[in-house]
Amino acid sequence: MSRAYLGEFEELVLLTVAHMNGESYGASITLDIKERTGRTVILSAVHVALYRLEEKGLVKSEVGGATQERGGRRKRLFSITPYGINTLSEIRQVREEMWQLIPKPLRPSVL
């Protein structure tokens, strides 16, 4: 199977799902991305990304148990699939190879 194309936001969501190791859900992913990147993140955008990632086979989800803190509502918990792990590894490899091509020290070009 060829690697799935991911946009930058989908990649952030997938990385967050990977490091939360099966305990991630929409609100926790939203908060984590906000804290790590300092950017505005909208919960509905995270949900859309999660559903796209699930359609691509990069994450899977299951409904967790009801909790009192959530008023008896259940969370949909996401975890990364083996295909998702492989895709992240390939993306990382491409980025590292491209960073190696940049001359050191990096200087702005003069035109």
Side-chain angles (χ1 to χ4, degrees):
M1 184 183 290
S2 64
R3 180 171 67 84
Y5 171 78
L6 296 182
E8 190 256 353
F9 189 70
E10 286 180 321
E11 186 180 341
L12 284 175
V13 172
L14 185 57
L15 284 165
T16 305
V17 170
H19 86 74
M20 290 185 159
N21 200 23
E23 297 296 323
S24 60
Y25 55 96
S28 67
I29 294 168
T30 301
L31 182 62
D32 190 78
I33 293 173
K34 280 181 185 176
E35 288 176 356
R36 292 182 189 280
T37 65
R39 66 197 253 185
T40 301
V41 180
I42 299 169
L43 179 60
S44 61
V46 170
H47 281 138
V48 169
L50 285 168
Y51 293 129
R52 278 197 305 245
L53 293 170
E54 195 164 29
E55 284 177 6
K56 293 176 181 179
L58 300 167
V59 299
K60 60 183 179 182
S61 67
E62 62 184 20
V63 178
T67 61
Q68 279 190 328
E69 72 181 89
R70 293 178 42 88
R73 292 179 299 154
R74 297 170 153 202
K75 296 176 189 170
R76 179 167 292 281
L77 300 170
F78 290 86
S79 59
I80 193 165
T81 64
Y83 178 50
I85 293 169
N86 196 35
T87 298
L88 281 179
S89 295
E90 288 178 24
I91 290 170
R92 182 178 186 168
Q93 181 179 351
V94 168
R95 289 181 183 227
E96 286 177 352
E97 287 172 6
M98 292 182 76
W99 274 102
Q100 293 301 317
L101 297 174
I102 296 174
K104 295 172 185 71
L106 180 60
R107 295 189 179 118
S109 60
V110 179
L111 296 178

